[in-house]
Amino acid sequence: QLPVVESGGGLVQPGGTLILACSTSGYLLDEHTIGWFRQAPGKEREGVSCISRVTTNYADSVKGRFTITRDNNRQAVYLHMTNLKPEDTGVYSCASKRAGCWSKLSSQGYDYWGRGTQVTVSS
């Protein structure tokens, strides 16, 4: 099994809701930070959110709309996305690292990356 695998992407209308899941295996999720990142066509990858054992952080563009949670028993992290906008479109990837979840949401330092799941917000 891959260390991290994303699921839950799809096509949704503006204002809609999607829940992404990041399933982990091979290590204790409780000891790791999971980050969500996205990349739109022609744009650089950007950090969306991260969660550690003690903290969560969000990009300004998603605050109040996205919620990140973790279920250590299921070895999974979820990204609950509401009030989706066309600018949220992109490939969403999750990644894990043993270091903390910092507000800068940098992609550096992550050990494992998933292959990504497509999220398209369009009418």
Side-chain angles (χ1 to χ4, degrees), residues 17-101:
T17 296
L18 276 178
I19 301 175
L20 305 184
C22 178
S23 300
T24 69
S25 64
Y27 53 91
L28 290 175
L29 177 61
D30 189 45
E31 298 176 356
H32 285 71
T33 286
I34 298 295
W36 280 101
F37 300 85
R38 68 186 180 189
Q39 188 166 20
K43 294 187 177 181
E44 292 187 356
R45 182 169 57 195
E46 64 172 337
V48 175
S49 181
C50 64
I51 185 168
S52 69
R53 184 186 300 177
V54 296
T55 192
T56 59
N57 281 294
Y58 298 92
D60 288 342
S61 59
V62 306
K63 281 181 181 177
R65 300 188 298 122
F66 291 11
T67 303
I68 191 169
T69 58
R70 64 193 295 153
D71 185 334
N72 290 332
N73 289 330
R74 294 180 181 271
Q75 289 279 116
V77 168
Y78 304 97
L79 188 67
H80 190 177
M81 307 186 294
T82 64
N83 190 21
L84 282 161
K85 304 175 181 180
E87 52 263 43
D88 293 318
T89 294
V91 176
Y92 283 69
S93 301
C94 66
S96 69
K97 62 176 178 176
R98 291 187 66 91
C101 164

Side-chain angles (χ1 to χ4, degrees), residues 35-38 45-48 95-97 102 104-113:
W36 280 101
F37 300 85
R38 68 186 180 189
R45 182 169 57 195
E46 64 172 337
V48 175
S96 69
K97 62 176 178 176
W102 313 119
K104 289 183 68 175
L105 296 171
S106 170
S107 62
Q108 293 185 350
Y110 283 86
D111 302 305
Y112 304 113
W113 287 82

